[in-house]
């Protein structure tokens, strides 16, 4: 392999270990990770604004338009972990380049699609490529940065995603108003091409990791295990997405049964397979399991609360959608501004206390919203959303850093896939729970659904107690030389 210009393998600079990525390589890797994550996040937020215009222009039903979201979610959720495994085996930058270039091509195809059938089909294709790119955005960071320096790049990635989430509806509304719904998909194409080309131009230097006695990431891909996990997650996501519209019917219950059966079969196979899809170091890790559980719970609490809050702002307070969005703006602002501060908290407090504090702040924000009524002024509403944003970003950055740090570099893609899966399952679960409880209470009483969602984030506090403390983290960093090495080379 010929080292690229960002490698220090052949000509190490003073004070730089041979084989460790140089500053140029890390800069390109960070840019690819951040922009790649933003492209996917922005695509999801602008789509919600574009769907009404799409329905009118293509003369189709609301149910068919909703499949542009549902089909994408099912494809992404079902393939994230397997895509992460592909990155561990063949190189995260190669898989990221394939994913982001395919995502851009599918976006261009949607912009040119003649009918809703083509749009839905291409959204599924876009979901497949999105699943390829997203675990790699974390896997590349794990390969380029030592564990003790992962907090800052992960926080920058989270902050950029927050900007995309906040700007998406505004940008999408402007594009749809002036250029039509197809323009929101063409928006993805230039940055996708640029990031795909940048990823292909950079290679991670080859640094052998010390033997661990565990199966290598270069082993079998465990296709049967991947199929079982895909069936389980696809059935679960489809069921959760369907519940708000259809309620708990025989079909939705059957979906849960299929998800449970496939999930159980997957876990049994992982314990017996010679080269499991999810390595034992991750599957059997209580720390990683707790961090993933926290991500599911807090994302369910946040998105479920935002779903309920939209009804409160528009139906109870009588605000129009734009005014409602402005009232919720403190949450997005805190995600953007708070993310860079989380690494500072992690260094001073450790993951356990940082995550516990974040879940408590999020819980307080949900409970504050639950106490608001028609007479509520703008200030308490803003305070509630500020607490939501501050608590969520604290937990998300902390738990993500724990998941990525506690996986070896050879399993970083699987860890990233699991993190992304948790961040997909959580919101669908939260919205399904909120919608179900609101239908039971006729949407008039916001207290019951918000109280249940506060229980989700409070449960996350209990899981946070299973994360490493500050002393444990520092001892692990000092005593684990393997963690300082990047992943195997992008061959």
């Amino acid at each position: 392999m010929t080292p690229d210009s960002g490698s220090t393998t052949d000509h190490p600079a003073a004070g730089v270990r041979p084989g460790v990525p140089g500053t140029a390589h890390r800069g390109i890797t960070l840019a690819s990770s951040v922009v790649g994550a933003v492209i996917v996040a922005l695509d999801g937020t602008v789509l919600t604004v574009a769907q009404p215009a799409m329905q009118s222009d293509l003369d189709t039903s609301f149910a068919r338009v909703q499949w542009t979201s549902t089909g994408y979610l099912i494809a992404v959720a079902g393939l994230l972990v397997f895509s992460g495994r592909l990155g561990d085996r063949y190189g995260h930058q190669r898989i990221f380049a394939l994913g982001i270039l395919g995502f851009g091509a599918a976006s261009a195809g949607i912009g040119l699609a003649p009918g809703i059938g083509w749009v839905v089909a291409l959204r599924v294709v876009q979901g497949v490529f999105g699943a390829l790119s997203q675990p790699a955005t974390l896997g590349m960071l794990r390969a380029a940065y030592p564990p003790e320096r992962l907090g800052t790049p992960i926080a920058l990635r989270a902050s950029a995603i927050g900007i995309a989430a906040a700007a998406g509806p505004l940008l999408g509304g402007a594009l749809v108003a002036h250029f039509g719904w197809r323009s929101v998909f063409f928006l993805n194409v230039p940055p996708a091409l640029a990031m795909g080309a940048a990823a292909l131009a950079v290679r991670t230097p080859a640094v052998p990791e010390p033997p661990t006695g565990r199966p290598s990431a270069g082993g079998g891909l465990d296709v049967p295990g991947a199929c079982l996990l895909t069936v389980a997650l696809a059935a679960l996501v489809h069921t959760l997405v369907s519940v708000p519209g259809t309620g708990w019917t025989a079909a939705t219950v059957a979906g849960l049964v299929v998800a449970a059966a496939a999930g159980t079969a997957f876990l049994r196979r992982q314990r017996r397979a010679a080269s499991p899809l999810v390595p034992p170091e991750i599957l059997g890790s209580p720390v990683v399991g707790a961090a993933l559980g926290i991500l599911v719970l807090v994302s369910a609490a946040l998105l479920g609360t935002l779903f309920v809050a939209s009804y409160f702002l528009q139906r109870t307070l009588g605000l129009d959608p734009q005014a409602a969005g402005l009232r919720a703006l403190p949450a997005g602002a805190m995600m953007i501004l708070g993310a860079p501060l989380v690494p500072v908290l992690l260094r001073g407090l450790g993951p356990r206390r940082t995550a516990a504090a974040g879940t408590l702040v999020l819980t307080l924000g949900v409970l504050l919203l639950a106490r608001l009524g028609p007479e509520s002024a703008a200030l308490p509403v803003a305070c509630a959303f500020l607490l939501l944003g501050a608590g969520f970003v604290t937990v998300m950055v902390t738990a993500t850093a724990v998941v990525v740090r506690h996986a070896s570099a050879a399993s970083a893609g699987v860890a990233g896939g699991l993190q992304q899966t948790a961040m997909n399952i959580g919101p669908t679960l939260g919205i399904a729970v909120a919608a179900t409880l609101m239908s039971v209470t006729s949407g008039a009483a916001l207290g019951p659904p918000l109280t249940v969602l506060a229980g989700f984030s409070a449960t996350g506090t209990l899981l946070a107690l299973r994360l490493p403390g500050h002393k444990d983290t520092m001892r692990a960093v000092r005593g684990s030389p393997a963690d300082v090495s990047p992943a195997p080379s992008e061959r």
Side-chain angles (χ1 to χ4, degrees), residues 8 30 93 98 122 208 232 260 270 290 295 319 339 348 402 411 419 463:
T8 59
L30 180 59
Q93 284 162 317
L98 174 62
L122 286 169
Q270 296 309 286
L295 287 172
L319 303 176
V402 168
S411 301
Q419 188 270 352
L463 286 179

Side-chain angles (χ1 to χ4, degrees), residues 421-462:
T421 300
M423 295 298 292
N424 276 270
I425 297 297
T428 54
L429 173 63
I431 292 173
V433 169
T436 300
L437 292 174
M438 289 179 69
S439 66
V440 172
T441 60
S442 301
L446 301 182
L450 290 179
T451 301
V452 171
L453 293 168
F456 280 17
S457 56
T459 304
T461 306
L462 298 178

Side-chain angles (χ1 to χ4, degrees), residues 34-63:
V34 169
V35 176
V38 165
I39 290 172
V40 175
L42 193 62
D43 178 83
T45 55
V46 299
L47 177 64
T48 59
V49 179
Q51 282 177 330
M54 181 191 299
Q55 180 182 351
S56 175
D57 183 51
L58 298 179
D59 191 23
T60 188
S61 66
F62 175 77

Side-chain angles (χ1 to χ4, degrees), residues 193-426:
L193 291 176
M195 288 302 101
L200 288 174
V202 178
R203 293 289 181 267
T204 302
V207 178
E209 292 198 27
T212 63
R214 294 188 293 262
S216 166
L221 288 175
D222 189 19
V223 174
C227 291
L228 287 171
L229 183 60
T230 297
V231 170
L233 293 174
L236 178 61
V237 170
H238 183 262
T239 300
L240 293 176
V241 170
S242 301
V243 164
T246 65
W248 289 100
T249 64
T252 53
V253 171
L256 283 184
V257 172
V258 171
T264 301
F266 169 75
L267 291 176
R268 292 183 62 183
R269 175 171 178 81
Q270 296 309 286
R271 295 189 181 100
R272 299 175 180 179
S275 297
L277 178 67
V278 182
E281 66 179 270
I282 297 177
L283 188 66
S285 170
V287 171
V288 173
L292 292 173
I294 292 169
L295 287 172
V296 171
L297 290 169
V298 298
S299 59
L302 177 72
L303 270 295
T305 298
L306 293 179
F307 179 81
V308 175
S310 66
Y311 281 83
F312 168 74
L313 293 172
Q314 296 183 52
R315 293 187 178 181
T316 304
L317 298 186
L319 303 176
D320 60 47
Q322 183 175 7
L326 290 175
R327 289 288 182 92
L329 196 58
M334 281 306 301
M335 291 183 196
I336 297 167
L337 299 175
L341 301 178
V342 179
V344 179
L345 294 176
L346 281 171
R347 287 192 291 270
L349 301 176
R352 182 186 303 153
R353 286 187 283 182
T354 303
T359 54
L360 289 174
V361 170
L362 177 61
T363 303
L364 183 60
V366 178
L367 292 176
L368 180 56
L369 270 179
R371 294 178 60 86
L372 300 179
E375 71 287 350
S376 298
L379 182 59
V381 174
C383 288
F385 280 107
L386 186 146
L387 291 172
L388 290 179
F392 178 75
V393 76
T394 300
V395 180
M396 182 179 69
V397 173
T398 301
T400 299
V402 168
V403 171
V404 177
R405 176 181 290 177
H406 279 75
S408 68
S411 301
V414 171
L418 289 170
Q419 188 270 352
Q420 292 289 310
T421 300
M423 295 298 292
N424 276 270
I425 297 297

Side-chain angles (χ1 to χ4, degrees), residues 178-191:
H178 292 91
F179 304 105
W181 66 268
R182 297 177 187 273
S183 62
V184 303
F185 293 101
F186 289 129
L187 175 69
N188 297 326
V189 178

